[in-house]
């Protein structure tokens, strides 16, 4: 496993649409392991492959307080959303900044796991926010375009609800 370099805002790759995975290959297995290691090493709770420069539809998420419950989502698709939540988000690709974003409070996702087996995942609040934030990355969208008001400097006074 290895840490991968995080691409930051201004890097054109972050605006591109990622391609689906049709077959699991050793290089994707390695990518998933590296993404998990990179996410954990930065203290983030989610990461999309495009953020490490690979345009493939892979997302890793772990919103557990102990950071011991990794989720791997391949070709994820949101199949249901409801309700609304407003909270502060941050993103590893936008270092030092945060912003207020309103998203669905509940989100149901269909995805493949790392064995290419279909899984249905449901989340509310933080997990629902993670699904939406990360799946947006696969479509070349970054949360800064959804921010209400101004992007703020990340300070300790502003507590982020979702910090990648
Ligand atoms: Ni992000």
């Amino acid at each position: 496993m290895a840490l991968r370099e995080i691409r930051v805002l201004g890097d054109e790759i972050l605006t591109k649409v990622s391609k689906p995975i049709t077959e699991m290959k050793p290089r994707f297995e390695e990518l998933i392991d590296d993404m998990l290691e990179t996410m954990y090493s930065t203290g983030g709770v989610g990461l999309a492959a495009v953020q490490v420069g690979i345009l493939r539809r892979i997302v890793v998420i772990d919103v557990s307080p102990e950071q011991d419950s990794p989720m791997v989502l391949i070709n994820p698709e949101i199949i249901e959303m409801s309700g609304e939540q407003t909270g502060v988000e941050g993103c590893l690709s936008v270092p030092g900044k945060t912003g207020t974003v309103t998203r669905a409070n509940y989100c149901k996702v269909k995805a493949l796991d790392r064995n290419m087996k279909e899984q249905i995942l449901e989340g509310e609040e933080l997990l629902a926010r993670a699904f939406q934030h990360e799946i947006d990355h696969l479509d070349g969208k970054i949360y800064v375009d959804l921010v209400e008001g101004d992007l703020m400097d990340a300070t300790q006074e502003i507590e982020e609800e979702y910090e990648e």
Side-chain angles (χ1 to χ4, degrees), residues 46-48 51 89-94 133-134 137 141-143 162 164:
L47 190 67
Q51 291 182 275
E89 289 186 22
C91 178
L92 289 169
S93 295
V94 191
H133 180 116
E134 299 308 333
H137 273 302
K141 296 183 210 157
I142 306 178
Y143 86 98
Y162 184 76
E164 236 182 22

Side-chain angles (χ1 to χ4, degrees), residues 95-116:
K97 300 283 179 188
T98 59
T100 303
V101 182
T102 296
R103 297 204 185 258
N105 192 54
Y106 165 85
C107 189
K108 190 192 253 187
V109 173
K110 184 171 85 169
L112 303 175
D113 65 16
R114 63 187 302 163
N115 302 311
M116 298 299 275

Side-chain angles (χ1 to χ4, degrees), residues 79-93:
I79 54 174
E80 209 180 307
M81 282 196 283
S82 64
E84 208 175 88
Q85 57 172 322
T86 299
V88 177
E89 289 186 22
C91 178
L92 289 169
S93 295

